[in-house]
Amino acid sequence: MQKHRDKRLLLIEDSRMFATALKHGLEVTHGLNVTHCASLKAAREELAEAAEGFSLVVLDLNLPDAPNCEALDLVLHERIPAIVFTAAFNDGTRETILSRGVVDCIVKNEPDSINRLIAAVDRALANGRTTVLLVDSNLASLHDLAGILREQRISVVEASRGDAALHVIDAGDAIDVVVTDTNLADMAGAVLLKEIHDRQGDEAMPVIGLSDEGDARLAARFIEAGGADFVRKPFLEAEFCGRVRYAAAMQKRMQALRRVAASDYLTGIYNRRHFFLTGPRLVDQCLRRGDGTSIAILDIDHFKRLNDTYGHEIGDIVLKHVARRMKALVGEEHLLARLGGEEFSILFNGLSVREAFAFCERIRLGLAKSKIVADDEELTITVSVGLATIEAPESFDNYLHAADQFLYMAKHAGRNRVMSELALLDALAS
């Protein structure tokens, strides 16, 4: 409920009955800020004068002053995602409208059409833009397929070889679905599928196979190997795009469920389980790319004393504060998690040890300067950090153990400091 209250929706609908029902339903169900326009003229003026952009438009195809889809032309020209809600509809119309890149098409006069539209709006706003990694060694086919997907407002990353596709995946780009021809220049589609599963495990992105071969067993083998779907060429464009969108929607829903399962119940950042599941894959990617990586363990100094003095409720406030400040600094580029109690960990993605050390110093100094207000009293904290460099494949536990040893040294040296091999070498040099 109310999960889209920060978004604005433009409703272009001349029917007072439908407009009233939709505006009320969207505002009550999703908390949306809905602006209603009953004509093309009003919609054009609203789009020209709106200080803030719209996240989505719901529109009728035919309006009194726009009987030939002029409102849709306007919205697509403004590059705003659109859902069509109209009575003037048949299979031919649907295919034509979908080919223009609208998010969805809902027929007014079908049973439960208003609830279906409200659900479609939720999907469109929750899922955001779909990105497809398209892999095909036939450059003409690659160009044509990319064009079909882009017409549907789907973002496309192109690769003509399997190794190039794996490089994109290793780089950590946000990919929702992989669509690959089964006969690539450097590897079979099934080999690419296996490589993706080896790299990503249970969280592997869905892979759709494409082939113009007539052997029906090829599709069965691809699906049995873990493929999400299989499409044989030639195909209907609407069916192909529909299958891609469906796979992307399922992936986004699974990612949303994984985020819930991966979150620490108190602080909202990643939990220990997610850190141990995702960390080894991130290390493997960094080592394969030849990028620097290291792991840090951060511990709040004298946290037990703080709990004993102020109580566990204040301790929880401190933990949330530390997590929030660290999240703001770390962002999405590196992996941050709460390991348990007052311990947090960061796995750095693509930083040299000196860069990671400087990063940890910024976190330490920032937390020491920050004020925590609890029960009308200002508290300050300090943290100790152990940082270990990762240079070769080992067990993930070994990396954490090394960081924990440096954390112990930081505590033993007086707390409120970052300790690493680099710090030791610098100390010896001085």
Side-chain angles (χ1 to χ4, degrees):
M1 297 290 287
Q2 305 286 302
K3 63 181 176 179
H4 300 305
R5 57 183 176 274
D6 59 332
K7 298 182 176 70
R8 299 184 69 216
L9 181 141
L10 179 60
L11 174 61
I12 308 175
E13 173 60 66
D14 63 312
S15 165
R16 183 175 298 178
M17 184 272 288
F18 276 117
T20 301
L22 288 174
K23 190 172 189 298
H24 175 77
L26 291 167
E27 289 177 341
V28 170
T29 305
H30 301 318
L32 282 163
N33 181 354
V34 179
T35 299
H36 171 233
C37 296
S39 66
L40 176 63
K41 179 176 181 293
R44 185 176 283 117
E45 292 173 352
E46 182 62 41
L47 288 169
E49 297 174 4
E52 299 179 29
F54 291 97
S55 302
L56 186 68
V57 176
V58 173
L59 74 155
D60 194 348
L61 284 181
N62 301 321
L63 302 168
D65 61 342
N68 298 309
C69 303
E70 292 90 345
L72 180 59
D73 295 336
L74 170 67
V75 170
L76 295 180
H77 177 74
E78 296 289 334
R79 304 186 67 82
I80 307 173
I83 294 177
V84 169
F85 186 63
T86 184
F89 222 69
N90 56 47
D91 289 342
T93 307
R94 179 180 181 82
E95 188 168 339
T96 300
I97 296 303
L98 285 173
S99 70
R100 298 193 61 187
V102 301
V103 175
D104 207 343
C105 299
I106 307 295
V107 181
K108 282 183 177 180
N109 300 326
E110 289 185 348
D112 207 30
S113 60
I114 291 177
N115 287 334
R116 288 180 60 212
L117 177 63
I118 291 172
V121 167
D122 176 41
R123 289 194 300 271
L125 294 175
N127 291 342
R129 193 166 183 83
T130 295
T131 300
V132 171
L133 174 57
L134 184 60
V135 195
D136 196 331
S137 296
N138 183 321
L139 296 184
S141 174
L142 181 66
H143 176 76
D144 290 344
L145 290 168
I148 291 170
L149 292 172
R150 288 184 176 122
E151 283 181 0
Q152 298 294 311
R153 306 178 73 86
I154 294 172
S155 178
V156 179
V157 178
E158 299 178 33
S160 60
R161 295 171 56 89
D163 56 4
L166 292 172
H167 180 75
V168 171
I169 292 169
D170 287 342
D173 292 354
I175 304 296
D176 298 306
V177 182
V178 177
V179 177
T180 180
D181 191 272
T182 56
N183 189 22
L184 301 174
D186 58 335
M187 65 179 70
V191 175
L192 176 60
L193 173 65
K194 182 179 184 302
E195 288 290 336
I196 292 172
H197 279 260
D198 287 346
R199 281 165 163 75
Q200 298 187 326
D202 292 338
E203 296 183 8
M205 60 192 68
V207 181
I208 298 176
L210 285 175
S211 178
D212 53 9
E213 296 182 16
D215 188 353
R217 291 172 295 182
L218 182 62
R221 289 196 295 268
F222 191 84
I223 298 296
E224 287 173 357
D229 204 346
F230 192 92
V231 180
R232 185 171 285 105
K233 304 175 185 176
F235 49 72
L236 292 174
E237 291 184 9
E239 178 189 3
F240 171 61
C241 293
R243 288 174 182 265
V244 170
R245 287 191 183 280
Y246 179 79
M250 292 300 101
Q251 172 71 351
K252 290 178 187 293
R253 290 176 190 175
M254 288 300 298
Q255 288 172 337
L257 291 172
R258 290 189 187 109
R259 280 194 294 272
V260 173
S263 297
D264 176 60
Y265 74 99
L266 178 65
T267 63
I269 64 173
Y270 287 127
N271 57 26
R272 181 185 184 91
R273 177 179 178 275
H274 179 80
F275 193 74
F276 274 81
L277 284 174
T278 307
R281 289 200 296 272
L282 182 58
V283 169
D284 183 57
Q285 290 173 7
C286 288
L287 293 177
R288 191 183 298 114
R289 296 195 306 260
D291 290 345
T293 183
S294 51
I295 190 167
I297 296 181
L298 178 148
D299 185 272
I300 302 173
D301 295 327
H302 302 298
F303 186 74
K304 183 179 184 302
R305 183 191 304 170
L306 184 148
N307 262 341
D308 292 342
T309 303
Y310 297 99
H312 289 282
E313 289 185 3
I314 302 303
D316 286 351
I317 291 174
V318 170
L319 290 170
K320 292 177 184 178
H321 171 86
V322 170
R324 185 166 56 249
R325 293 300 297 265
M326 290 180 67
K327 179 65 175 176
L329 289 169
V330 173
E332 298 295 333
E333 185 176 358
H334 311 291
L335 180 60
L336 167 67
R338 180 186 175 204
L339 296 185
E342 69 272 27
E343 277 196 347
F344 299 81
S345 191
I346 307 169
L347 183 61
F348 291 102
N349 180 16
L351 294 187
S352 69
V353 64
R354 287 197 175 274
E355 291 170 331
F357 186 89
F359 202 116
C360 291
E361 272 289 289
R362 288 197 298 273
I363 291 174
R364 183 186 67 82
L365 292 171
L367 288 172
K369 292 176 182 177
S370 65
K371 304 295 183 183
I372 306 169
V373 178
D375 287 349
D376 299 324
E377 183 176 352
E378 277 194 353
L379 303 176
T380 58
I381 59 159
T382 61
V383 297
S384 300
V385 185
L387 174 68
T389 308
I390 298 174
E391 297 177 332
E394 296 182 42
S395 73
F396 196 67
D397 283 334
N398 283 355
Y399 304 139
L400 273 172
H401 180 70
D404 197 48
Q405 290 297 308
F406 283 117
L407 174 62
Y408 175 80
M409 295 170 66
K411 293 281 190 182
H412 188 71
R415 296 183 171 84
N416 190 22
R417 66 195 65 219
V418 180
M419 190 63 71
S420 71
E421 183 179 351
L422 180 65
L424 292 178
L425 291 174
D426 288 346
L428 290 173
S430 63

